[in-house]
Amino acid sequence: MTSDSQLNAINNRLNVRPRIILSALGMLMLCGCFIRPGVTSPNISGKTVSEFQAGTRVGHDDFRKTTVVKGYWVSFVNAPLRQADLNGRSFGLIAQKADSGQTVKFSLEFSSERGKATGPASWDSAFDASGQHLPVIKEATMSGTVGDIWEGIAVVLTREYLDARATSGFHMCIEGKGNGKTTRQTIYVPGNYIVGFLRVVDATFSHG
């Protein structure tokens, strides 16, 4: 007959793996949204306004004399970093205002890191679910020491655009034509994200 102490020892051994798995999942959750399979943008619609607000950061660029509000950042990747077929992507809302100015500029920042086997995406355009093409600012392309390529693009938005979608959110398609191929990434920014982000924006710039 198995004693109580032996049963406890068996149960402890059986619980080791679940505890390790749960700990790993907990670490991923603390780091924001991060998924490995495919390059499908993660679903963040279940998060509350308070969660998005808490994930929004305020910083100051002392050289450009600009205050920047950076929304909750979403990252996703299909392969471990530094692999040749890497295809990692991230996005978030940004608001910034020059110390000497009155205008708050808004944008959706999108960036990717692609392995040398994947090649550049050359992101150059963006449009929403209504078909509206939005102005973009292409950022400088950077290459890593192992052939990986970092590319960024800023989709120019307005306060009115965000206010009008504070309930429904919005879908955005980022498109590029690198190496003769069209690459697209569709992302969704939920209404709760917009509301939480704008709360921080208003608290930051209300004195101006």
Side-chain angles (χ1 to χ4, degrees):
M1 181 177 294
T2 304
S3 67
D4 290 341
S5 61
Q6 288 174 316
L7 286 173
N8 288 335
I10 292 171
N11 286 333
N12 287 336
R13 287 196 297 271
L14 290 175
N15 285 332
V16 168
R17 180 170 291 178
R19 286 201 300 270
I20 293 174
I21 293 172
L22 288 173
S23 296
L25 289 174
M27 288 299 293
L28 289 177
M29 291 176 67
L30 288 173
C31 295
C33 289
F34 185 84
I35 59 174
R36 299 180 72 85
V39 287
T40 301
S41 178
N43 184 354
I44 56 175
S45 299
K47 291 188 175 296
T48 65
V49 169
S50 296
E51 287 178 301
F52 285 120
Q53 185 174 349
T56 301
R57 299 288 180 261
V58 180
H60 187 267
D61 189 326
D62 294 333
F63 290 96
R64 293 184 173 87
K65 306 301 181 186
T66 301
T67 298
V68 179
V69 178
K70 181 178 180 180
Y72 181 95
W73 214 249
V74 185
S75 300
F76 47 109
V77 67
N78 72 323
L81 294 178
R82 304 297 176 258
Q83 284 196 1
D85 59 348
L86 169 68
N87 204 336
R89 303 176 183 189
S90 62
F91 68 90
L93 292 178
I94 297 287
Q96 52 188 324
K97 184 176 82 69
D99 295 348
S100 59
Q102 297 297 320
T103 302
V104 179
K105 298 179 180 179
F106 293 91
S107 62
L108 171 70
E109 302 281 341
F110 175 81
S111 63
S112 65
E113 185 179 3
R114 295 158 64 91
K116 59 184 179 182
T118 308
S122 301
W123 309 110
D124 60 5
S125 61
F127 51 93
D128 63 17
S130 70
Q132 177 182 355
H133 281 258
L134 296 158
V136 300
I137 301 172
K138 294 185 64 175
E139 300 176 1
T141 300
M142 295 186 293
S143 298
T145 56
V146 293
D148 51 322
I149 302 168
W150 183 93
E151 300 171 277
I153 190 171
V155 183
V156 179
L157 304 175
T158 64
R159 177 62 187 252
E160 291 74 22
Y161 186 94
L162 294 175
D163 283 338
R165 292 158 180 79
T167 300
S168 63
F170 64 88
H171 288 86
M172 187 71 66
C173 181
I174 312 294
E175 187 175 271
K177 301 175 182 63
N179 292 337
K181 298 179 180 179
T182 298
T183 302
R184 286 183 174 178
Q185 176 65 57
T186 301
I187 57 179
Y188 175 62
V189 180
N192 282 352
Y193 183 124
I194 297 172
V195 174
F197 170 73
L198 291 179
R199 283 184 181 178
V200 180
V201 171
D202 291 340
T204 302
F205 299 125
S206 60
H207 61 276

